[in-house]
Amino acid sequence: MKKYVTVRMGSYVSFFYDKKAAVVIAAFGAAAVLLFLISIGSGEMRISPLEAAAALLGYGEEIHQTVILTFRLPRVLVAWLAGMALAAAGAILQGMVRNPLASPDVLGITGGAAAAVVAFLALFSDENNSLTVSIHWLPLAAFLGATAAAWFVYMLAWKNGLAPLRLVLIGIGISALMQALTTLLMIVGPIYRASQANVWITGSVYGASWQHVSFMAPSIIGLLLMAMLAARHVNVQELGGELAIGLGSAVERQRLGLVLLSTALTGGAVAFAGGIGFVGLMAPHMARRLVGSAFGALLPTAALLGGVLVMGADLAGRMLLAPTEIPAGVFTAALGAPYFIYLLYQSRKA
């Protein structure tokens, strides 16, 4: 049986796709939709997936529509979008540097975005715990923080090229520095903002609103489409610098563009969902084992898997110890830390 299927659309458009990858993507897409329906139906008022779907379409009981559309849907959408963004950012970084240990949180990019957001909250809060500037500037602050951290890592790791091990080690150092800076900002900032930031840094979508979704959805979806368009550049980068140059690629320009794309995805996720860790590490690695390293199949698989991980973590945080809520980042860290150790062990064996 052929692994690839060719699709022709007229005389000018043709492409081929991997049958296995298509099945895996469809399966994760169905799993994400099912988990989405379960999540918006879970809480003090239990709503079945069928009733939740009916409420989304404008049918069913009015109380169900109110609970889902007003309170639960924005939170679940933010979790889904954040998971996809972090997973896609991790897939881009891992492909670019050819290292399965690369991810936004390990390399300090998530920490940079988190430090920038905490600085924003600390510096622009008045004595009444109100922001003195528009919250609309928060995503820009997260992006600038993520970009600054990525620039430091990139510059310090560069020495006649990017050595994967040096990049990871410097990234871990920058991540620790960003955590220290975040703690300092929490100490010097308002007490109310410090307690709020402490939960947020762990990674939580509590308090997500339609305003968050309206800012997050267009940017994340647009960046994911840009990442798909950059698939061939990531595939070339995985061949190594010398081969990429031999194929006529502008390696350094492409790397810069991919780093900016990854930081934008990370900043957009961290601005509204907090510092949810290890999703950018786990999801691409798991996806690679399922569909291979071709980025055109790897990216959507990793993005869907990342969305499932964060939605599942948020659902577990809401339901396991209800009515007490546990930040989603606690559960992703509980899964991700052992997985990171496993990857380190595997890399040592290799």
Side-chain angles (χ1 to χ4, degrees):
M1 184 176 70
K2 295 198 310 181
K3 182 179 179 181
Y4 297 99
V5 175
T6 303
V7 177
R8 298 186 183 277
M9 302 171 64
S11 304
Y12 301 100
V13 179
S14 65
F15 61 92
F16 62 89
Y17 68 89
D18 187 334
K19 285 184 177 180
K20 179 183 176 182
V23 171
V24 171
I25 292 170
F28 274 115
V33 171
L34 179 60
L35 182 59
F36 173 80
L37 293 174
I38 292 172
S39 188
I40 62 174
S42 299
E44 291 185 13
M45 177 184 290
R46 298 295 180 92
I47 304 172
S48 70
L50 290 178
E51 291 174 328
L56 289 176
L57 297 174
Y59 301 102
E61 298 183 26
E62 185 176 351
I63 186 64
H64 290 174
Q65 296 181 40
T66 301
V67 169
I68 289 175
L69 297 178
T70 305
F71 300 106
R72 295 179 183 172
L73 186 56
R75 176 174 185 154
V76 177
L77 285 175
V78 168
W80 195 351
L81 289 168
M84 289 196 297
L86 291 171
I92 292 170
L93 290 173
Q94 289 178 14
M96 186 186 72
V97 303
R98 296 177 296 148
N99 190 332
L101 299 179
S103 69
D105 41 333
V106 173
L107 296 184
I109 298 175
T110 301
V117 170
V118 173
F120 181 91
L121 295 175
L123 297 176
F124 297 108
S125 293
D126 59 21
E127 61 275 6
N128 297 319
N129 295 322
S130 299
L131 289 176
T132 58
V133 297
S134 173
I135 193 67
H136 299 168
W137 293 104
L138 188 63
L140 178 61
F143 172 72
L144 292 176
T147 302
W151 184 83
F152 276 116
V153 172
Y154 197 90
M155 290 297 102
L156 293 175
W158 177 265
K159 185 179 180 182
N160 299 322
L162 283 177
L165 180 60
R166 186 165 62 244
L167 183 74
V168 171
L169 292 176
I170 290 176
I172 292 172
I174 294 295
S175 180
L177 178 62
M178 291 298 106
Q179 289 177 6
L181 178 60
T182 301
T183 302
L184 176 63
L185 290 169
M186 289 171 61
I187 292 172
V188 301
I191 295 176
Y192 169 77
R193 292 297 180 187
S195 60
Q196 183 185 40
N198 193 39
V199 174
W200 178 86
I201 289 169
T202 308
S204 175
V205 292
Y206 176 79
S209 66
W210 280 113
Q211 185 183 31
H212 296 164
V213 175
S214 66
F215 283 103
M216 191 177 184
S219 59
I220 295 299
I221 293 172
L223 290 168
L224 288 173
L225 292 175
M226 291 175 62
M228 283 299 300
L229 293 175
R232 62 189 183 91
H233 298 309
V234 180
N235 288 331
V236 171
Q237 292 285 336
E238 288 187 329
L239 298 175
E242 293 182 359
L243 282 177
I245 292 172
L247 292 172
S249 297
V251 174
E252 295 307 320
R253 188 173 63 189
Q254 288 177 7
R255 284 178 176 170
L256 178 60
L258 291 173
V259 168
L260 289 175
L261 183 58
S262 178
T263 55
L265 285 164
T266 304
V270 171
F272 296 107
I276 298 177
F278 292 103
V279 175
L281 175 72
M282 292 188 293
H285 201 270
M286 293 175 179
R288 190 174 289 105
R289 293 197 168 199
L290 291 170
V291 299
S293 58
F295 198 73
L298 175 65
L299 178 67
T301 306
L304 287 170
L305 184 53
V308 168
L309 285 171
V310 178
M311 279 196 296
D314 179 58
L315 178 61
R318 284 190 286 137
M319 300 304 296
L320 285 182
L321 295 177
T324 302
E325 292 197 13
I326 303 172
V330 172
F331 291 94
T332 59
L335 291 173
Y339 197 78
F340 182 61
I341 295 171
Y342 164 76
L343 289 179
L344 287 173
Y345 178 73
Q346 290 295 105
S347 65
R348 188 190 69 171
K349 288 174 62 177

